[in-house]
């Protein structure tokens, strides 16, 4: 493995690991706040127990997310020094504000975890809400920085120099809203289905049914509403990409030739050399409508883009198909759940089993979506301005660093899984006591 590939792989590994915890950190505090609110309004002890159990999970994910996020910050400077030298002063503002949001989140979480019985109940609840708002804000700010890489703004590039820097314009670039919206909804869907699926599994095992049923309903509602909204966000994002990054859209759809009434490709195996897609289902005019809202519109293909600037078609296409396919699966499950909720049949075992199957789907879709975002931008690290190969560090030995980080992340993932498993077992043991429902500490 050469150093350039190793640097890209290490960054991909770090980001792929961190994004799971950042999504959970953005969303779980809102679940926690809803449960806490229900306890304050109903005084039902089961909601307090759900809240406290979830708060321990939030603390675990916050700690791991903070560590992995810090590693990513260092990697930007160590692996991509040329990029940071030129880009840092331009898009540094959202990173600085993200640090502030993280600081607020950490303080609010500390207040929340140690505030039980020490603060006014409603003030205590507010600190939990602040954890959620600051976490979501932190995620949006990071996405704004990534969006700048896809849609550079806030400077003039003249003779290799970055002049007339405007950090506000850089932060609120043309891509930030569509990416932030799509990522935020995806985080709610992914986390919601994962949490709901775990509680559904416990219900199927007939363990602490009342506890898990209450938790399941909160998480499932968040997940289903997000999954229903996600296709609308995806449509907005696709139209935005079609305007700003036609090469990425062409790679997503393996669209090799510019044409009107372009077909929407479902599945298939791209053959970049022959410039065709084998074994695909094609919907005539579908891509034209997806990209421009007109079945007869012309869609730019890879034939209009120099080959040196083509993204890796196969990886981008497969990742896009996985993201969309899983998104549709979660949408279908959401509609089934809302129908069951309307019919008051949410305790059906087949429905719960579907939620168990859906535990990993949202996060797989998130990883696939970020693959589309990052791989589809190649060969650029700053779209149209700086190539990724020109930004990598000249230092040798990056491959060894990649192997080391892989081992660390695998170990850390194992520790997190063990801690969460232990946390779930603790809850189950508490409720299995013959005295009945206890307050969870």
């Amino acid at each position: 493995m050469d150093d350039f590939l190793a640097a890209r792989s290490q960054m991909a590994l770090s980001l792929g690991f961190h994004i799971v915890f950042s999504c959970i950190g953005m969303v779980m505090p809102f679940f926690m706040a809803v449960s806490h609110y229900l306890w304050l309004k109903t005084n039902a002890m089961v909601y307090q127990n759900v809240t406290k159990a979830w708060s321990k999970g939030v603390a675990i994910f916050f700690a791991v997310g903070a560590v992995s996020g810090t590693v990513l910050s260092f990697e930007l400077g160590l692996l991509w020094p040329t990029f940071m030298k030129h880009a840092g002063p331009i898009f540094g503002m959202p990173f600085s504000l993200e640090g502030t949001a993280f600081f607020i989140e950490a303080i609010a979480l500390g207040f929340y975890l140690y505030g039980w019985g020490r603060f006014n109940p409603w003030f205590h609840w507010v600190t939990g809400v602040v954890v959620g708002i600051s976490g979501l804000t932190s995620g949006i700010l990071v996405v704004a920085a990534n969006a700048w890489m896809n849609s550079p703004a806030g400077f003039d590039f003249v003779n290799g120099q970055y002049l007339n820097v405007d950090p506000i314009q850089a932060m609120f670039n043309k891509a930030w809203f569509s990416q932030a919206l799509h990522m935020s909804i995806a985080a709610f869907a992914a986390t919601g289905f994962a949490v709901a699926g775990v509680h559904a599994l416990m219900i199927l095992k007939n363990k602490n049914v009342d506890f898990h049923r209450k938790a399941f309903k909160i998480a499932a509602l968040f997940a289903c509403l997000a999954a229903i909204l996600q296709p609308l966000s995806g449509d907005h994002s696709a139209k935005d990409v079609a305007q700003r990054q036609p090469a990425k859209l062409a790679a997503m759809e393996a669209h090799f030739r510019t044409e009107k009434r372009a077909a929407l490709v479902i599945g298939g195996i791209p053959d970049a050399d022959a410039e065709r897609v084998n074994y695909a289902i094609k919907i005539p005019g579908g891509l034209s409508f997806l990209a421009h809202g007109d079945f007869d519109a012309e869609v730019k293909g890879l034939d209009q883009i120099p080959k040196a600037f083509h993204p890796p078609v196969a990886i981008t296409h497969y990742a896009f198909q996985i993201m969309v396919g899983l998104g549709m699966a979660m949408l279908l499950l959401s509609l089934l759940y809302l129908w069951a909720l309307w019919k008051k049949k949410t305790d059906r075992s087949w429905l719960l089993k579907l939620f168990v199957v859906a535990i990993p789907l949202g996060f797989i879709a998130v990883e696939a979506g970020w693959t589309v975002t990052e791989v589809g931008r190649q060969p650029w690290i700053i779209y149209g301005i700086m190539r990724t190969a020109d930004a990598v560090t000249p230092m040798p030995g990056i491959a060894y660093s990649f192997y080391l980080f892989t081992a660390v992340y695998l170990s850390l993932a194992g520790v997190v899984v063990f801690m969460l498993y232990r946390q779930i077992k603790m809850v189950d043991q508490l409720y299995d006591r013959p005295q009945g429902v206890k307050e969870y500490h």
Side-chain angles (χ1 to χ4, degrees), residues 365-383:
V366 167
E367 298 286 4
W370 272 98
T371 300
V372 171
T373 299
E374 299 303 296
V375 176
R377 188 182 61 243
Q378 299 306 313
W380 306 101
I381 192 169
I382 307 175
Y383 189 71

Side-chain angles (χ1 to χ4, degrees), residues 12-29:
L13 174 69
S14 300
L15 180 59
F17 183 86
H18 175 70
I19 199 171
V20 173
F21 299 98
S22 62
C23 284
I24 297 172
M26 290 165 62
V27 173
M28 275 297 294

Side-chain angles (χ1 to χ4, degrees), residues 52-251:
K52 289 190 174 184
W54 276 349
S55 70
K56 299 296 177 64
V58 168
I60 293 171
F61 287 115
F62 176 83
V64 179
V67 172
S68 58
T70 302
V71 171
L72 272 172
S73 299
F74 282 113
E75 285 180 339
L76 280 172
L78 294 173
L79 299 177
W80 314 101
T82 305
F83 167 71
M84 291 303 295
K85 174 183 176 182
H86 296 287
I90 304 171
F91 81 123
M93 177 172 285
F95 274 134
S96 299
L97 294 176
E98 189 274 337
T100 302
F102 174 80
F103 181 67
I104 295 172
E105 181 184 8
I107 294 175
L109 182 59
F111 280 170
Y112 189 82
L113 293 175
Y114 296 101
W116 290 97
R118 296 178 175 86
F119 295 147
N120 174 278
W122 285 105
F123 174 78
H124 184 214
W125 174 77
V126 168
T127 63
V129 175
V130 171
V131 174
I133 293 174
S134 56
L136 183 61
T137 302
S138 179
I140 290 173
L141 289 167
V142 171
V143 172
N146 179 268
W148 178 84
M149 298 165 68
N150 288 298
S151 181
F155 65 96
D156 294 324
F157 189 62
V158 181
N159 297 325
Q161 299 294 316
Y162 298 80
L163 307 174
N164 303 321
V165 172
D166 183 346
I168 299 295
Q169 186 181 0
M171 184 167 68
F172 296 107
N173 55 79
K174 292 181 179 179
W176 86 269
F177 178 76
S178 62
Q179 280 197 212
L181 178 65
H182 198 58
M183 185 64 228
S184 298
I185 296 175
F188 275 93
T191 305
F193 277 110
V195 174
V198 170
H199 290 291
L201 180 62
M202 295 297 105
I203 295 171
L204 288 169
K205 290 184 175 182
N206 201 32
K207 291 187 176 182
N208 315 325
V209 173
D210 187 44
F211 174 94
H212 290 294
R213 188 174 286 153
K214 295 290 193 301
F216 169 79
K217 186 174 183 179
I218 294 171
L221 283 173
F222 271 103
C224 292
L225 292 176
I228 291 171
L229 292 174
Q230 190 68 317
L232 302 176
S233 168
D235 178 69
H236 180 271
S237 295
K239 288 179 169 60
D240 181 60
V241 169
Q243 296 295 325
R244 294 183 298 96
Q245 295 176 295
K248 178 183 286 186
L249 181 72

Side-chain angles (χ1 to χ4, degrees), residues 221-368:
L221 283 173
F222 271 103
C224 292
L225 292 176
I228 291 171
L229 292 174
Q230 190 68 317
L232 302 176
S233 168
D235 178 69
H236 180 271
S237 295
K239 288 179 169 60
D240 181 60
V241 169
Q243 296 295 325
R244 294 183 298 96
Q245 295 176 295
K248 178 183 286 186
L249 181 72
M252 288 160 56
E253 282 293 328
H255 183 60
F256 293 100
R257 294 181 180 85
T258 301
E259 59 184 357
K260 294 182 178 180
R261 199 169 177 77
L264 179 67
V265 174
I266 301 176
I269 301 175
D271 185 340
D273 294 330
E275 296 186 344
R276 67 169 181 260
V277 185
N278 301 315
Y279 315 113
I281 299 172
K282 296 185 178 181
I283 302 175
L287 181 58
S288 294
F289 182 78
L290 176 70
H292 302 292
D294 181 356
F295 286 101
D296 295 317
E298 182 178 271
V299 179
K300 189 175 183 179
L302 290 169
D303 60 339
Q304 297 294 311
I305 299 164
K307 284 195 174 183
F309 300 150
H310 284 193
V313 176
I315 296 175
T316 308
H317 177 72
Y318 294 143
F320 180 67
Q321 296 294 310
I322 290 171
M323 179 186 69
V324 173
L326 294 180
M328 291 299 101
M330 288 184 287
L331 172 61
L332 178 60
L333 178 54
S334 300
L335 295 176
L336 285 173
Y337 177 74
L338 293 179
W339 174 82
L341 188 64
W342 178 51
K343 292 290 186 178
K344 298 182 180 179
K345 297 180 179 179
T346 55
D347 58 345
R348 296 294 188 268
S349 62
W350 63 267
L351 182 62
L352 295 172
K353 288 176 181 177
L354 287 177
F355 270 92
V356 173
V357 172
I359 288 175
L361 299 189
F363 288 113
I364 295 173
V366 167
E367 298 286 4

